[in-house]
Amino acid sequence: MPNNFVLGNGKPWSRRQLLQLGLAGAGVTGAAGLWQMLNLQSKSIVKVPPFVMEAPDDVTNPMKMLRDFDYGTVKQENGRTIREFQLTAGTSIIKLNSAVSYNIWDLNGRIPGPTLRAKQGERIRVLFLNNAGHSHSLHFHGVHPAEMDGVRPISNGKATIYEFDAEPYGVHLYHCHIEPVTRHIAKGLYGMFIIDPPTPRPPADEIVLVMGGYDVNDDNHNDYYAFNGLPHYYMHHPIPIYKDQLIRLYVLNIIEYDPAVTFHLHANFFDVYRYGMSMTPSEKTDVITMGVAERHILEFAFRYPGKYMFHPHQDAIAENGCMGQFEVLAQSNSQNPVKQS
């Protein structure tokens, strides 16, 4: 990544400014997507703590994935906006802990796959290449024609194009839909798909948390669980946020083999926007139940500095990896980067 970017005001943005916005090294695809994110942040009062990020590896990088939104490449065709994404299925080996490695299917070399983001009404075009050794596909939740439903197998070494309108707005997902679907999802072929409403939501520090499970023994029972790909990561590397800053949490449960899990936040309550398909919250709570593929927007702010846990309230799931912490910082700490490794 270059050290400086020049935006609309003609002044370069330094790497430090990018870190303060949580974007340095974020891997946003396409210059238009990077400009969109920086422009949105620069017009708001959102403050994201700076941190020095040392990734564990290229496949599992939970700290990077928190605020990494893929806006694709924007094109104009026949007077209409086309937002184009490229997704490639592959294979990788990840380390779940110091003793256990696991073979996965990945998307663009990562698990979960990229968090795709568009605006309602845009035309979405997804170029999908399958290099994962088996037949796979991509099924997008939302509204689209039958031929774009992603249930037709794409053979290894082959490619296809999915094209549809971005509708309705909300928090959706995409995943492989080739039998056995449970196995194809559990081994890593999934990601979040956000369609923003025509009228933007209020400014917030936006964070993605995807809950997944790992069945390393192939017995249809999960042995490990994780937020954003790696068990226990956010317990050892708390997520830095600021006191009194509105947090917009995009949460997806894609844990196969367990019929439902909960999400609980310590010492606070959150407003629930079910499936992200409303501009007004449906309820306020500190624990919500989510079936497989359910996803919601949860909004909250912390009054007091300190470390606060979040996890499913099924203790066995939490204790086997699906547990983390927010580290709430006072604004006076804004010039002291939090080191993450």
Side-chain angles (χ1 to χ4, degrees):
M1 177 180 288
N3 288 330
N4 295 291
F5 291 88
V6 178
L7 298 182
N9 59 9
K11 296 181 179 179
W13 286 63
S14 68
R15 183 172 178 82
R16 180 175 179 179
Q17 288 173 301
L18 292 174
L19 282 169
Q20 289 176 333
L21 290 174
L23 289 170
V28 178
T29 303
L34 180 58
W35 179 89
Q36 182 171 355
M37 176 65 92
L38 288 170
N39 192 48
L40 176 63
Q41 294 283 20
S42 67
K43 291 182 178 179
S44 73
I45 57 173
V46 175
K47 293 185 178 181
V48 177
F51 56 89
V52 178
M53 180 173 59
E54 298 176 7
D57 59 53
D58 292 334
V59 184
T60 53
N61 192 338
M63 195 59 69
K64 174 182 174 181
M65 294 178 186
L66 287 171
R67 301 177 174 97
D68 185 9
F69 299 98
D70 185 348
Y71 289 90
T73 301
V74 178
K75 303 179 178 181
Q76 294 294 324
E77 294 183 6
N78 300 319
R80 186 166 190 191
T81 299
I82 308 294
R83 196 171 290 274
E84 186 174 282
F85 301 94
Q86 297 185 23
L87 291 174
T88 300
T91 60
S92 299
I93 299 176
I94 63 173
K95 290 187 69 65
L96 298 177
N97 55 40
S98 60
V100 178
S101 296
Y102 184 58
N103 293 307
I104 66 161
W105 290 318
D106 64 66
L107 286 164
N108 288 10
R110 52 173 276 179
I111 181 173
T115 299
L116 309 184
R117 193 159 185 175
K119 186 175 181 180
Q120 180 174 281
E122 293 177 330
R123 187 72 170 178
I124 303 298
R125 181 180 295 153
V126 180
L127 312 179
F128 175 58
L129 172 62
N130 179 17
N131 282 335
H134 297 265
S135 291
H136 295 299
S137 72
L138 290 181
H139 164 67
F140 286 82
H141 286 220
V143 177
H144 46 248
E147 59 269 22
M148 294 294 113
D149 203 32
V151 297
R152 180 174 61 87
I154 307 301
S155 301
N156 179 54
K158 302 296 183 180
T160 193
I161 296 176
Y162 301 106
E163 189 163 326
F164 50 88
D165 293 338
E167 59 177 343
Y169 76 79
V171 185
H172 307 302
L173 72 151
Y174 62 92
H175 58 83
C176 182
H177 212 292
I178 302 305
E179 296 182 355
V181 178
T182 298
R183 177 175 172 80
H184 282 238
I185 293 176
K187 285 185 70 68
L189 295 177
Y190 57 82
M192 186 178 287
F193 175 40
I194 299 172
I195 300 178
D196 289 316
T199 301
R201 298 180 187 275
D205 181 1
E206 298 190 322
I207 292 172
V208 170
L209 288 178
V210 179
M211 293 187 282
Y214 294 104
D215 171 21
V216 299
N217 299 320
D218 292 327
D219 61 357
N220 296 331
H221 175 78
N222 288 311
D223 304 286
Y224 300 94
Y225 300 86
F227 284 107
N228 290 351
L230 201 60
H232 299 293
Y233 184 85
Y234 297 124
M235 279 301 294
H236 302 301
H237 309 84
I239 300 169
I241 60 175
Y242 279 132
K243 182 178 83 73
D244 299 321
Q245 171 67 65
L246 177 64
I247 305 299
R248 179 169 298 122
L249 206 60
Y250 296 88
V251 181
L252 165 64
N253 170 31
I254 198 65
I255 299 174
E256 293 286 357
Y257 307 120
D258 291 271
V261 299
T262 56
F263 179 88
H264 170 54
L265 181 64
H266 279 214
N268 211 336
F269 287 79
F270 45 77
D271 290 323
V272 179
Y273 298 78
R274 290 188 171 270
Y275 296 91
M277 296 178 69
S278 171
M279 301 297 285
T280 57
S282 60
E283 62 204 275
K284 183 183 289 287
T285 181
D286 66 348
V287 61
I288 188 169
T289 301
M290 304 172 68
V292 182
E294 278 199 62
R295 61 276 179 195
H296 306 301
I297 292 176
L298 311 179
E299 290 188 350
F300 56 90
F302 276 95
R303 299 183 196 173
Y304 310 110
K307 293 181 180 180
Y308 300 92
M309 294 175 65
F310 58 87
H311 56 82
H313 229 295
Q314 290 81 3
D315 292 338
I317 293 176
E319 291 167 2
N320 281 291
C322 208
M323 183 181 293
Q325 299 181 90
F326 287 109
E327 183 172 5
V328 182
L329 307 172
Q331 295 289 337
S332 59
N333 294 333
S334 61
Q335 301 303 317
N336 299 318
V338 178
K339 185 174 182 178
Q340 302 291 350
S341 60

